């Protein structure tokens, strides 16, 4: 299973879903590159606010913000496609009569794509957390739009980003970790919409993936084979991603004593890594999980994440 998660090829039975998900995943690197190169319009916005009656400053700020808003729309639309891809994978990896472990062994190429979605999601959110300009740019855009509606200024961009789209984007970017939030909601919806499917099919799939990643990270014979730090980071991100999804869909969450995920072991593995590599992941466990602060969470586990 561990080997398969690294270099699986789709079987005939997996091909259709694999192709659908692959068409989304192929764009993930360009999304990350786009986010990485995001240079906000902070200076132009400050100049415009400080010189409210200077038309040149107003136009410069507006012309700087509009292309950025189009970029933000691209990321948001990608999250919608990612959500659909995740839904398709969950449908395949949880359907009866197979157990989650049998699914992960039988459909290794799909399990790998599931891991790749989580890997992308955590990388996207780690980057987004470091770019406060995103929310500043977007709120300036919305303020200007509403002001200019009153002034009847011609706004071509509204054909690209109408009010409904802007509202959805606002909610998306208001989240500390918007992509993870999207996937958590998608997984929760998947469970509530498939009432005939036992909840364990979904939670066991997630906990199995978490333990595969943990074993890979804590066992020297596996981790010494990692060709690069990238593989290590891949494993850590996937582990944290499935923990967060599990915590959202399991009624008691991931942190209780009865959880099928060894949270103490998972956190320990993360804390053994250089802090620069895991700070974002530990923050995701702190701020994007649902049950960490519940009474049922053992004190020692809460203390590990302080």
């Amino acid at each position: 299973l561990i080997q398969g998660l690294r270099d699986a090829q789709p079987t005939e039975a997996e091909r259709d879903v694999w192709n659908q998900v692959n068409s989304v995943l192929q764009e993930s690197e360009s999304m990350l590159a786009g986010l990485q190169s995001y240079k906000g319009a902070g200076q132009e916005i400050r100049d415009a606010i400080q010189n409210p009656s200077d038309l040149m400053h107003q136009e410069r700020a507006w012309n700087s913000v509009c292309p950025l808003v189009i970029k933000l729309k691209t990321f948001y639309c990608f999250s919608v496609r990612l959500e659909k891809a995740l839904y398709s994978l969950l449908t395949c990896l949880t359907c009866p009569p197979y157990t989650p472990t049998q699914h992960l062994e039988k459909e290794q190429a799909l399990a790998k794509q599931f891991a790749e979605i989580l890997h992308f999601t955590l990388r996207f959110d780690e980057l987004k957390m470091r770019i406060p300009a995103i929310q500043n740019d977007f709120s300036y855009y919305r303020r200007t739009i509403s002001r200019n509606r009153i002034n009847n200024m011609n706004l071509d961009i509204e054909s690209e980003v109408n009010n409904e789209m802007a509202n959805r984007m606002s909610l998306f970017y208001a989240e500390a970790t918007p992509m993870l939030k999207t996937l958590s909601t998608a997984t929760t919806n998947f469970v509530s919409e498939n009432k005939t499917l036992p909840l364990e099919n979904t939670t066991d799939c997630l906990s199995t993936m978490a333990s595969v990643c943990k074993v890979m990270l804590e066992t020297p014979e596996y981790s010494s084979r990692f060709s690069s730090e990238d593989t290590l980071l891949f494993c850590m991100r996937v582990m944290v991603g499935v923990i967060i999804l599990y915590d959202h869909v399991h009624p008691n969450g991931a942190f209780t004593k009865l959880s099928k995920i060894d949270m103490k072991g998972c956190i320990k593995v993360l804390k053994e890594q250089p802090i620069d590599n895991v700070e974002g992941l530990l923050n995701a466990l702190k701020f994007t999980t649902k049950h960490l602060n519940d009474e049922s969470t053992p004190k020692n586990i809460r203390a590990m994440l302080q």
Side-chain angles (χ1 to χ4, degrees), residues 1-2 5-6 25 86 89 93 104 108 110-124 126 180 183 205-217 226 229-247 261 263 266 269-270 277-278 280-282 284-285 289:
L1 179 57
I2 286 169
L5 277 176
R6 288 175 63 182
L25 279 169
L86 182 84
L89 289 175
L93 293 170
L104 294 174
Q108 292 185 350
L110 298 185
K112 187 183 179 199
Q113 286 184 319
F114 187 62
E116 283 168 346
I117 285 179
L118 290 168
H119 182 231
F120 161 79
T121 296
L122 279 129
R123 285 165 75 199
F124 184 94
E126 278 170 27
L180 258 176
L183 295 195
C205 168
L206 298 170
S207 59
T208 304
M209 285 185 77
S211 54
V212 168
C213 292
K214 183 174 88 66
V215 167
M216 285 171 82
L217 290 163
F226 289 167
E229 191 179 56
D230 285 352
T231 317
L232 193 73
L233 286 167
F234 180 86
C235 264
M236 292 193 291
R237 289 189 182 114
V238 173
M239 181 177 79
V240 168
V242 285
I243 288 170
I244 289 167
L245 297 188
Y246 182 100
D247 194 55
I261 296 179
M263 283 307 301
C266 291
V269 163
L270 290 175
N277 288 352
V278 293
L281 297 176
L282 291 169
L285 286 177
T289 47

Side-chain angles (χ1 to χ4, degrees), residues 149-181:
R149 264 209 202 98
I150 305 162
N151 300 343
N152 297 323
M153 183 173 140
N154 179 22
L155 298 167
D156 299 333
I157 192 167
E158 283 208 90
S159 59
E160 290 257 8
V161 182
N162 62 22
N163 199 37
E164 188 199 346
M165 171 60 80
N167 285 335
R168 293 208 300 264
M169 285 168 66
S170 260
L171 290 170
F172 178 75
Y173 288 110
E175 296 289 341
T177 50
M179 287 285 176
L180 258 176
K181 177 72 173 140

Side-chain angles (χ1 to χ4, degrees), residues 46-59 147:
R46 277 192 297 279
D47 292 344
I49 291 168
Q50 282 161 9
N51 302 281
S53 52
D54 184 328
L55 199 60
M56 185 192 77
H57 281 302
Q58 306 309 311
E59 283 183 356
R147 202 168 56 234

Side-chain angles (χ1 to χ4, degrees), residues 255-273:
F255 295 98
T256 65
K257 283 199 171 81
L258 297 173
S259 164
K260 287 196 176 170
I261 296 179
D262 168 18
M263 283 307 301
K264 197 173 165 187
C266 291
I267 298 168
K268 186 170 170 285
V269 163
L270 290 175
K271 293 197 116 177
E272 285 164 358
Q273 306 299 326

Side-chain angles (χ1 to χ4, degrees), residues 23-47:
S23 69
V24 179
L25 279 169
Q26 275 178 330
E27 288 175 47
S28 63
E29 286 303 321
S30 70
M31 293 295 149
L32 290 169
L35 184 59
Q36 209 147 16
S37 65
Y38 190 97
K39 301 274 182 282
Q43 190 55 54
E44 292 88 340
I45 290 171
R46 277 192 297 279
D47 292 344

Side-chain angles (χ1 to χ4, degrees), residues 82-100:
L82 202 65
E83 189 175 353
K84 291 193 178 111
L86 182 84
Y87 206 100
S88 303
L89 289 175
L90 281 171
T91 305
C92 294
L93 293 170
T94 59
C95 62
Y98 302 105
T99 66

